[in-house]
């Protein structure tokens, strides 16, 4: 009797093993089919976790920042050269940067709308092609008018490329966003340094036109690599293309060597994709208004630090205790000759070192995001930036100025990182790209104003020098010069510090903290 029961038990076990081998899908999902078990994109992303796909995503999409940084930072390197070639006034040099940001502003909202309506991937890819094409044409600009027009077209393309941040964010699990997204600033720093190195190596020998032609190369390479990045699964679900979303998630899971959650992917399709009314709904009205100002200030202070430092170095408006002979000669140039002063090796080196500041404090940035959260991090960073803007007024050595500029660039860069992360996390998928587009457009208003603010101190300073040399004894004029130079730098930098303080207080009124929160699919 005992042997008979044992034989029956063994037969049952063998039969169960055969059924498991024949129907692995049924076993894998278990009772999910009978119970109609489902999962969302958010659950799938969290289940897949971090793996090889995200490494590839981080490298390729992070490299998009190289293109954006090179196109924006190119202005700081080219400004002295085009000033010399076309004998431009200060306002004309500032207008170059303004036109780039104008193109970015006008196309930022359009790019966000198109990304929410027709897909993130298409807009980012089109932005790559557009910006590379018009950037190349810029190198053949026959006049100043053509140059600013073509640079504004480049700004439109960069607006599309910036939507890559949304595409990247929608693939990253919540607990990794505060780590991976700040680390992407490494690529921005690399792009900034690359354009400065190109300027240092190419401009003195071949000229600024060849520097721009070489700068297009990363865009062409990224056009080839971008083919490995899929469309956002969150976007595909929002438009009802569940099959494409499942296929994308399966590919990612396979690449990361994990399995999707059991059941089938289900998500409600939204008919309000790309609707600007969502941004003004009761849930997001105050958030949108405060974020627009925050983005304005983030861009205002970032490009103020970049273009302002370029202006200070080009015209030697610094209060230095150890100026070399070359910088002293620049101080004494008259009759407008100082309008044409190319960067020297020492100036390039200072800009390079300051670029390192954008990644040097990334660990601090990550700690702030994970400990203080997004809102409080913004307040701390903006108050710190206000302090260092004012510290640039003190008389110090060239090394001391480089250290101050290094720390200032660190703070304004970290602030930009937090603003990007918070914006991508706070808006739902159906309006995330449009929300980002509106924010980036407002940020470019800050970028448009910053060059003119940076010029105020220099214009005031130059006129004061001319009057002092005509009225006073040269030695007395040098004493007056030192005092008024300090006054003019304060005049140029105070608006940036004030904007930081006001924005730091305003950020305390943001109604939503996104630390550790899942990305919303709909409002």
């Amino acid at each position: 009797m005992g042997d008979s029961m044992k034989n029956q038990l063994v037969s049952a076990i063998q039969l169960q093993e055969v059924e498991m081998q024949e129907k692995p899908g049924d076993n894998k999902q278990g009772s999910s089919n009978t119970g109609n078990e489902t999962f969302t994109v958010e659950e799938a992303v969290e289940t897949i976790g971090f793996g090889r796909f995200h490494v590839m995503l981080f490298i390729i999409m992070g490299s998009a920042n190289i293109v954006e940084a090179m196109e924006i930072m190119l202005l700081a390197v080219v400004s002295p050269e085009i000033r010399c070639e076309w004998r431009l006034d200060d306002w004309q040099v500032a207008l170059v940067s303004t036109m780039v940001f104008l193109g970015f502003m006008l196309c930022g909202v359009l790019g966000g709308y198109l990304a929410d309506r027709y897909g993130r991937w298409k807009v980012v890819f089109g932005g790559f092609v557009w910006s590379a094409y018009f950037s190349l044409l810029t190198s053949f600009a026959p006049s100043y008018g053509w140059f600013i027009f073509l640079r504004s077209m480049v700004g439109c393309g960069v607006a599309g490329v910036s939507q890559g941040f949304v595409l990247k964010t929608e693939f990253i699990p919540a607990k990794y966003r505060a780590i991976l997204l700040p680390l992407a600033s490494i690529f921005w720093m690399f792009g900034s340094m690359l354009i400065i190195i190109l300027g240092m190596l190419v401009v003195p020998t071949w000229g600024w036109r060849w520097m721009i032609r070489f700068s297009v190369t990363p865009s062409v390479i990224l056009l080839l690599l971008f083919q490995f990045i899929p469309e956002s699964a969150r976007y595909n679900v929002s438009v009802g293309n569940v099959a494409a979303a499942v296929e994308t998630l399966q590919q990612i899971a396979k690449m990361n060597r994990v399995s999707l959650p059991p059941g089938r992917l289900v998500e409600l399709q939204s008919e309000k994709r790309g609707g600007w009314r969502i941004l003004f709904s009761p849930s997001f009205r105050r958030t949108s208004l405060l974020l627009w100002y925050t983005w304005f200030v983030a861009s205002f202070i970032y490009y103020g630090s970049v273009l302002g430092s370029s202006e200070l170095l080009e015209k030697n408006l610094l209060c230095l205790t150890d100026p070399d002979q070359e910088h002293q000669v620049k101080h004494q140039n008259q009759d407008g000759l100082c309008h044409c002063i190319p960067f020297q090796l020492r100036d390039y080196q200072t800009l390079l070192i300051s670029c390192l500041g954008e990644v040097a404090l990334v660990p601090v940035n990550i700690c702030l995001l994970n400990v203080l959260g997004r809102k409080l991090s913004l307040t701390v960073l903006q108050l710190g930036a206000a302090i260092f803007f004012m510290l640039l007024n003190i008389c110090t050595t060239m090394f001391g100025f480089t250290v101050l500029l290094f720390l200032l660039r660190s703070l304004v860069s970290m602030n930009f990182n937090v603003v990007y992360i918070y914006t991508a996390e706070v808006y739902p998928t159906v309006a995330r790209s449009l929300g980002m587009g509106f924010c980036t457009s407002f940020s470019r208003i800050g970028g448009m104003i910053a060059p003119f603010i940076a010029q105020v101190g220099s214009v005031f300073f130059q006129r004061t020098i001319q009057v002092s040399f005509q009225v006073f004894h040269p030695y007395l004029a040098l004493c007056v010069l030192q005092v008024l130079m300090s006054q003019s730098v304060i005049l140029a930098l105070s608006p940036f510090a004030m904007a930081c303080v006001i924005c730091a207080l305003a950020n305390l009124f943001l109604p939503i903290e996104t630390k550790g929160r899942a990305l919303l699919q709909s409002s």
Side-chain angles (χ1 to χ4, degrees):
M1 186 68 178
D3 293 339
S4 176
M5 293 180 62
K6 289 181 180 179
N7 292 333
Q8 291 178 359
L9 181 60
V10 171
S11 298
I13 293 174
Q14 292 175 344
L15 178 61
Q16 184 178 9
E17 290 176 348
V18 171
E19 290 177 349
M20 291 174 62
Q21 293 174 359
E22 291 177 351
K23 300 181 180 180
D26 293 343
N27 177 66
K28 186 177 182 179
Q29 295 184 1
S31 60
S32 61
N33 289 338
T34 58
N36 199 26
E37 188 173 353
T38 62
F39 64 91
T40 64
V41 176
E42 179 68 27
E43 293 169 343
V45 170
E46 296 298 329
T47 301
I48 292 173
F50 179 82
R52 292 191 297 174
F53 169 80
H54 296 89
V55 174
M56 180 188 72
L57 178 75
F58 177 75
I59 294 175
I60 296 178
M61 294 307 303
S63 298
N65 291 339
I66 295 178
V67 175
E68 188 175 355
M70 291 183 70
E71 295 297 347
I72 299 299
M73 294 297 297
L74 179 143
L75 304 173
V77 178
V78 168
S79 292
E81 302 301 322
I82 63 173
R83 188 197 299 268
C84 294
E85 180 166 334
W86 290 313
R87 294 291 172 177
L88 304 179
D89 291 330
D90 288 330
W91 70 269
Q92 291 176 305
V93 176
L95 187 62
V96 175
S97 301
T98 298
M99 291 301 293
V100 174
F101 294 127
L102 177 63
F104 202 130
M105 181 189 71
L106 295 178
C107 296
V109 175
L110 177 62
Y113 173 79
L114 293 176
D116 280 331
R117 294 289 297 180
Y118 304 107
R120 285 79 158 110
W121 193 95
K122 298 182 182 69
V123 172
V124 177
F125 184 81
F128 276 128
V129 176
W130 184 283
S131 60
Y133 175 71
F134 281 99
S135 184
L136 183 62
L137 287 183
T138 302
S139 66
F140 298 97
S143 65
Y144 169 73
W146 272 106
F147 184 86
I148 61 174
F149 168 75
L150 292 172
R151 292 310 299 177
S152 66
M153 292 295 100
V154 173
C156 285
V158 174
V161 174
S162 67
Q163 290 297 328
F165 188 87
V166 174
L167 178 61
K168 175 174 58 179
T169 301
E170 293 183 340
F171 281 118
I172 300 177
K175 68 178 181 179
Y176 293 100
R177 288 199 296 266
I179 300 175
L180 292 179
L181 297 180
L183 283 175
S185 59
I186 294 175
F187 295 96
W188 182 279
M189 178 213 66
F190 183 76
S192 300
M193 296 182 65
L194 184 58
I195 198 67
I196 294 173
I197 292 173
L198 278 176
M200 186 167 51
L201 298 179
V202 178
V203 171
T205 54
W206 291 3
W208 62 269
R209 296 178 185 273
W210 275 103
M211 184 197 71
I212 294 180
R213 291 163 192 162
F214 285 127
S215 71
V216 177
T217 305
S219 296
V220 177
I221 296 174
L222 278 174
L223 283 174
L224 302 176
L225 296 177
F226 195 61
Q227 308 298 322
F228 295 99
I229 302 298
E231 178 59 270
S232 168
R234 296 179 191 270
Y235 165 78
N236 280 327
V237 165
S238 71
V239 298
N241 194 357
V242 178
V246 171
E247 183 180 357
T248 297
L249 293 172
Q250 288 175 340
Q251 292 175 352
I252 297 174
K254 181 179 180 181
M255 193 170 181
N256 285 7
R257 298 177 180 177
V258 296
S259 299
L260 291 178
R264 58 189 179 88
L265 176 62
V266 172
E267 201 86 57
L268 294 178
Q269 178 182 354
S270 176
E271 298 296 335
K272 297 182 179 180
R273 291 176 292 108
W276 60 270
R277 290 180 178 84
I278 296 177
L279 306 181
F280 293 97
S281 65
S283 301
F284 296 104
R285 185 182 300 120
R286 185 167 66 168
T287 298
S288 295
L289 294 176
L290 288 174
L291 271 181
W292 292 349
Y293 179 67
T294 301
W295 274 81
F296 167 84
V297 172
S299 179
F300 182 62
I301 63 175
Y302 179 84
Y303 295 110
S305 67
V306 173
L307 300 175
S309 61
S310 175
E311 185 74 13
L312 292 172
L313 290 171
E314 180 190 351
K315 297 180 179 177
N316 194 30
L317 301 180
L318 301 173
C319 183
L320 298 178
T321 59
D322 63 341
D324 55 25
Q325 183 177 1
E326 177 184 327
H327 284 74
Q328 290 175 341
V329 171
K330 287 183 182 181
H331 274 312
Q332 298 174 9
N333 280 341
Q334 303 178 54
D335 300 326
L337 294 179
C338 61
H339 283 281
C340 185
I341 305 173
F343 279 145
Q344 302 300 316
L345 179 61
R346 191 178 184 184
D347 299 326
Y348 281 116
Q349 291 173 343
T350 299
L351 292 176
L352 276 175
I353 295 173
S354 67
C355 286
L356 292 174
E358 298 197 9
V359 298
L361 299 184
V362 165
V364 177
N365 197 1
I366 294 173
C367 290
L368 288 175
L369 286 167
N370 286 285
V371 175
L372 300 182
R374 281 50 163 164
K375 292 168 50 179
L376 195 54
S377 294
L378 287 173
T379 298
V380 171
L381 292 171
Q382 287 158 359
L383 290 176
I387 294 173
F388 276 93
F389 266 115
M390 299 314 296
L391 286 177
L392 290 182
N393 295 286
I394 66 175
C395 289
T396 181
T397 63
M398 194 64 182
F399 175 78
F401 169 76
T402 303
V403 172
L404 290 175
L405 185 59
F406 177 90
L407 294 174
L408 176 61
R409 289 285 294 273
S410 296
L411 291 169
V412 297
S413 177
M414 287 193 289
N415 178 66
F416 233 140
N417 286 336
V418 180
V419 170
Y420 260 108
I421 294 171
Y422 181 82
T423 305
E425 291 179 337
V426 77
Y427 286 120
T429 299
V430 294
R432 185 169 294 121
S433 288
L434 184 63
M436 184 72 76
F438 266 98
C439 288
T440 55
S441 291
F442 274 90
S443 77
R444 303 315 160 186
I445 298 176
M448 291 164 62
I449 296 174
F452 288 97
I453 298 296
Q455 293 284 349
V456 169
S458 63
V459 172
F460 178 76
F461 174 66
Q462 291 172 10
R463 291 179 179 175
T464 303
I465 295 177
Q466 294 175 358
V467 172
S468 63
F469 268 92
Q470 294 173 1
V471 177
F472 300 103
H473 187 276
Y475 294 105
L476 179 60
L478 287 176
C479 297
V480 175
L481 177 149
Q482 293 178 348
V483 176
L484 293 179
M485 176 181 65
S486 177
Q487 297 287 339
S488 67
V489 173
I490 291 177
L491 180 65
L493 297 181
S494 293
F496 298 106
M498 292 175 59
C500 288
V501 173
I502 296 173
C503 190
L505 298 176
N507 285 326
L508 295 176
F509 295 94
L510 285 168
I512 303 171
E513 173 57 63
T514 61
K515 174 187 172 184
R517 195 185 74 162
L519 295 182
L520 298 178
Q521 185 67 19
S522 65
S523 58

